[in-house]
Amino acid sequence: MNEKLLETIDDRVDDLVELTADLIRFPTINPPGEAYRPCAEYIGERLRKRGFGVEYVRGEGTPGDSDRYPRINVVARFDGRSLGPTVHFNSHIDVVEAGDGWTVDPFGGVVKDGRVYGRGTCDMKGGLAASIIAAEAFMDVYPDFPGAIEISGTVDEESGGFGGVAYLAGKGYFSKPRVDHVIIPEPLNKDRICLGHRGVWWAEIETKGEIAHGSMPFLGDCAVRHMGAVLAAFEEELFPALDKKRTSMPVVPEGARRSTLNINSIHGGQTEDFRPGLPSPNVPDWCRVTIDRRFLLEEKLQDVKGEVTSILDRLKRERPKFDYEIRDIMEVQPTMTERDAPVVKAVARGIQEIFDREPEYVISPGTYDQKHVARIGHIYDCIAYGPGILDLAHRPDEWVGIEDMVQSAKVMAIGLDLLLRGPAAG
């Protein structure tokens, strides 16, 4: 065990806590994408003072990007004294809305009882702070290291990552020869390595109708009733079929080791913006639902889509006047890094040394930015590893444990040492 490296991290606990609290105080709420620039600049300025070259990259033209809410990413790089591989720590800086139910200020960076509280502490500014401390400690202990270290703070992960990692990957920031290994400090628990995630297909289904007076609905065609038939068919046919599908992927929690479908939203007919007035008496001529289909490594995307469209096509044949449109919103293939990949073995060694046990290997039920690293950047030596308890993400009184961050920083530092200097050097 590298005692000097671990002692250096122990000496920086106060810095780690302060850094985490400072990051929480930037209310980087997505949507709409608030405070991205000042948060990115805070990260960039800290790393610039440590000798990193710093770039700010705006995801121009991506969903949500505007002059009011620019999608500003920060990418920092430090080149070692000699050639070698590059290890990239990628964290998203955006957070979801705070919501109700908090007993502390969600953006106050409150520190108490061995925890840092606030929106984004767990998901995932605590992990970002831990990765920065790990990298800085490693650089101080081994100033002559080979290779390079990159740290990025990226945006929009909570809404798909298109203005962040996807945009950067398209520009070559997550591709060889620039990058070899990627660690994403998502909150999957400090003694677990996340190898990847299930696939996802988001789509919007619209049923068609014909407007008419609400007192004479027989003169029109109710699109909401048509959508009711769709949902009834899903309940009777699709949901039971999905429940029977199981995967060999080690997805957590256990309930996510099967195919799932969620109805994210449903809207039809007159919008609700008439409040506090009265609705107009119309037969709705449209109804839309957004579906969120999570699928397994054993499934093909074309079959996943076919299960839905076959129901819609059958209803079109059987139900008078039934018509529909379907629009793809997002599709991502399942991904699972091999357990013998270099980054997996390096972080696993760190977990073994810090916790004196083998890591648990898991798959995330939902996607995160590994999807873009793999599908656009073609970097497959990528994992998620970081502090924080996944179940706390997006909830009131979200927190991250200080000791969890310290231990995770040690694991990251050991992994960094193994990937850059090699097992013999340690």
Side-chain angles (χ1 to χ4, degrees):
M1 185 177 290
N2 191 324
E3 295 293 344
K4 179 62 175 175
L5 187 56
L6 305 188
E7 289 172 2
T8 302
I9 292 173
D10 281 331
D11 291 340
R12 301 181 185 193
V13 174
D14 290 344
D15 187 15
L16 174 57
V17 172
E18 182 179 0
L19 174 57
T20 304
D22 283 349
L23 290 169
I24 295 306
R25 294 183 183 116
F26 292 99
T28 48
I29 301 168
N30 175 34
E34 298 176 1
Y36 282 177
R37 184 185 296 277
C39 186
E41 290 177 347
Y42 172 86
I43 298 164
E45 184 59 20
R46 178 185 176 110
L47 296 175
R48 185 191 64 78
K49 290 178 179 178
R50 290 304 311 261
F52 282 78
V54 177
E55 291 182 76
Y56 299 101
V57 184
R58 176 174 172 178
E60 294 188 44
T62 58
D65 178 63
S66 66
D67 289 340
R68 183 177 181 183
Y69 299 112
R71 271 40 199 171
I72 303 296
N73 303 280
V74 58
V75 182
R77 180 181 177 93
F78 189 99
D79 287 296
R81 299 287 177 87
S82 57
L83 295 176
T86 297
V87 178
H88 186 119
F89 292 96
N90 165 249
S91 299
H92 67 84
I93 62 173
D94 62 312
V95 302
V96 298
E97 64 177 325
D100 298 326
W102 289 77
T103 63
V104 298
D105 179 354
F107 297 105
V110 174
V111 180
K112 65 175 183 178
D113 302 327
R115 301 171 176 177
V116 184
Y117 285 85
R119 176 56 82 224
T121 47
C122 169
D123 186 16
M124 57 179 294
K125 290 178 178 177
L128 169 58
S131 70
I132 291 173
I133 293 296
E136 291 176 345
F138 172 80
M139 291 163 59
D140 287 345
V141 175
Y142 300 112
D144 296 326
F145 72 89
I149 300 170
E150 289 190 343
I151 298 174
S152 61
T154 53
V155 303
D156 286 2
E157 190 275 344
E158 297 291 2
S159 55
F162 299 105
V165 171
Y167 184 85
L168 292 171
K171 299 293 184 181
Y173 284 87
F174 287 93
S175 299
K176 290 187 176 183
R178 178 181 176 121
V179 173
D180 298 279
H181 317 287
V182 179
I183 298 173
I184 303 175
E186 288 276 9
L188 273 302
N189 298 11
K190 61 187 179 182
D191 57 353
R192 302 198 299 194
I193 295 174
C194 183
L195 302 174
H197 50 72
R198 293 190 298 174
V200 58
W201 174 49
W202 280 7
E204 182 182 79
I205 301 169
E206 179 176 348
T207 50
K208 307 291 188 177
E210 183 179 352
I211 194 169
H213 198 288
S215 69
M216 298 174 285
F218 47 84
L219 297 179
D221 186 32
C222 183
V224 173
R225 289 184 62 184
H226 286 315
M227 187 62 74
V230 173
L231 298 180
F234 283 179
E235 289 289 342
E236 294 170 6
E237 304 169 40
L238 186 55
F239 284 110
L242 298 184
D243 282 340
K244 295 177 182 178
K245 297 186 178 185
R246 293 292 187 270
T247 182
S248 62
M249 303 171 80
V251 187
V252 290
E254 179 72 28
R257 294 188 181 180
R258 68 186 198 278
S259 297
T260 59
L261 174 70
N262 185 56
I263 307 297
N264 285 10
S265 65
I266 181 167
H267 304 279
Q270 181 169 336
T271 62
E272 294 186 347
D273 56 10
F274 61 83
R275 297 178 185 271
L278 296 173
S280 59
N282 288 330
V283 174
D285 59 356
W286 63 272
C287 186
R288 302 186 191 100
V289 298
T290 303
I291 61 171
D292 179 351
R293 173 73 161 86
R294 305 294 169 135
F295 62 100
L296 313 172
L297 199 64
E298 293 84 355
E299 296 181 275
K300 295 181 179 179
L301 179 57
Q302 64 187 39
D303 296 334
V304 167
K305 292 182 176 182
E307 290 171 332
V308 172
T309 56
S310 64
I311 289 175
L312 297 172
D313 288 340
R314 193 195 74 234
L315 289 172
K316 189 171 183 176
R317 293 192 303 269
E318 297 176 354
R319 188 175 176 88
K321 297 185 178 180
F322 182 91
D323 197 11
Y324 76 90
E325 288 185 4
I326 189 166
R327 181 174 67 89
D328 291 338
I329 298 174
M330 181 172 69
E331 54 187 52
V332 174
Q333 294 288 346
T335 182
M336 186 165 69
T337 301
E338 297 295 331
R339 290 194 188 188
D340 62 353
V343 71
V344 178
K345 293 194 292 185
V347 173
R349 175 71 178 275
I351 290 173
Q352 291 163 356
E353 292 195 6
I354 298 304
F355 301 107
D356 194 28
R357 59 179 179 267
E358 293 291 323
E360 181 184 1
Y361 298 95
V362 301
I363 294 292
S364 173
T367 65
Y368 53 95
D369 278 332
Q370 184 173 346
K371 58 183 176 285
H372 301 309
V373 175
R375 74 182 182 90
I376 302 175
H378 303 293
I379 296 291
Y380 302 103
D381 197 34
C382 176
I383 60 168
Y385 170 77
I389 300 169
L390 182 60
D391 294 352
L392 299 175
H394 299 197
R395 298 184 67 182
D397 285 351
E398 180 183 348
W399 57 269
V400 65
I402 294 171
E403 182 62 20
D404 291 346
M405 289 193 292
V406 172
Q407 292 175 322
S408 289
K410 291 177 179 179
V411 170
M412 292 183 210
I414 292 170
L416 188 59
D417 188 22
L418 291 168
L419 290 168
L420 293 185
R421 298 198 314 130

